[in-house]
Amino acid sequence: TKDWNGIDQVVLRNPQGASARLTWRSSHTSWRNDRGEELLFTSSKAIFKPPKAMRGGIPICFPQFGNCVSLEQHGFARNKVWTIDENPPPLHHNDSHGKSFVDLLLKPSEEDLKFWPHSFEFRLRVSLGADGKLTLISRIRNINSKPFSFSFAYHTYLSVSDISEVRIEGLETLDYLDNLFKRERFTEQGDAITFESEVDRVYLSSPNVIAVLDHERKRTYVIRKEGLPDTVVWNPWEKKSRAMLDFGDEEYKQMLCVDGSAIEKPITLKPGEEWTGRLELTVVPSSFCSEG
Ligand code: TA6
């Protein structure tokens, strides 16, 4: 592995001209289709300065999603400098054939071990398929420490044209924990989720395929996940947007977080055990029926 001091980002490209760009903090700053259109949201006020997490892209929340006493909000992984892993363990043929990919590695520093005393290896493979599909595969292994538990999320900021014209299909009838009501448990009604105000929920035992339909741009994000039973849905809306320094007052209209995650039931690893969380993002044109 070599550290990234000399490289402030990695760019993956496919022959069709699509690209994915990662900063040295493993979070993406960009995922573009073959027409150069930006598919991930990054705030115009994002702060690219440790330890502030970047507002946008796909920050990785590990070893903790949300708040907890000894760790910063959403854990330390998204604030660390990762290294390029040049000797990754072999992955399935499908995860590299015909793809542009990079392997990243995060291991705890002495400092990290003071706050979270578990030795782990976190290997992240990011790949861009010939069809523009963005795939993230996280493999977290317990390296001969005592068993430990963690929660996890790919904090995915999707770029949308107008949040009031966006709906999510695939989360109907599920239970969810509502962060706006002290994480109380509710049940989603039977139709697609639309947005008229702040939403901050963790949908439980969600399906492995979720669709986010952006009406105005006539395109749908298809989110496929494995090992990630829960789905976070977050839009801060106007009041929260004004309270965030690294977020424009009106930017809530152009973003939606839909995060493949494992939150309700933290993952426990015994020494030598490994967990894999896989996320695939594609964008397909969606023909909307005339009734809108
Ligand atoms: O997406 C759920 C959430 O926990 C929200 O409550 C909000 O805090 C958001 O994450 C962003 O968190 P951050 O630490 O990136 O500002």
Side-chain angles (χ1 to χ4, degrees), residues 101-262:
F101 64 90
V102 65
D103 288 295
L104 306 178
L105 174 63
L106 179 70
K107 292 197 268 192
S109 63
E110 287 312 311
E111 188 63 14
D112 297 328
L113 290 169
K114 285 185 202 145
F115 293 98
W116 201 67
H118 307 297
S119 79
F120 66 87
E121 274 181 7
F122 187 153
R123 294 177 189 276
L124 172 66
R125 169 165 292 187
V126 181
S127 64
L128 187 70
D131 56 358
K133 178 196 296 183
L134 181 65
T135 302
L136 288 82
I137 303 174
S138 289
R139 288 177 292 160
I140 298 170
R141 179 182 290 277
N142 179 335
I143 305 294
N144 63 42
S145 89
K146 55 189 184 305
F148 61 69
S149 300
F150 62 91
S151 50
F152 180 96
Y154 287 113
H155 202 16
T156 309
Y157 285 77
L158 300 176
S159 169
V160 297
S161 49
D162 173 357
I163 186 63
S164 58
E165 299 282 317
V166 170
R167 69 173 197 269
I168 301 181
E169 293 179 354
L171 300 177
E172 297 82 358
T173 73
L174 292 181
D175 279 7
Y176 62 87
L177 306 177
D178 196 327
N179 222 8
L180 305 182
F181 295 91
K182 297 186 176 53
R183 293 170 69 85
E184 229 181 280
R185 196 180 183 111
F186 295 85
T187 301
E188 183 56 58
Q189 304 319 312
D191 44 14
I193 299 170
T194 53
F195 298 87
E196 297 85 26
S197 61
E198 180 182 359
V199 171
D200 189 352
R201 301 174 182 170
V202 181
Y203 284 84
L204 307 175
S205 312
S206 51
N208 285 341
V209 183
I210 294 161
V212 180
L213 292 82
D214 180 339
H215 184 279
E216 203 151 297
R217 286 191 184 135
K218 297 212 175 336
R219 71 184 179 202
T220 296
Y221 289 97
V222 180
I223 300 169
R224 289 186 175 78
K225 54 191 179 73
E226 283 167 33
L228 300 161
D230 304 324
T231 301
V232 175
V233 176
W234 177 55
N235 186 288
W237 219 254
E238 185 161 6
K239 186 161 168 280
K240 278 276 171 65
S241 300
R242 292 184 186 289
M244 291 189 281
L245 288 178
D246 59 349
F247 196 82
D249 291 353
E250 302 288 307
E251 285 189 319
Y252 69 93
K253 295 176 180 168
Q254 280 92 40
M255 57 70 72
L256 178 62
C257 279
V258 184
D259 309 352
S261 55

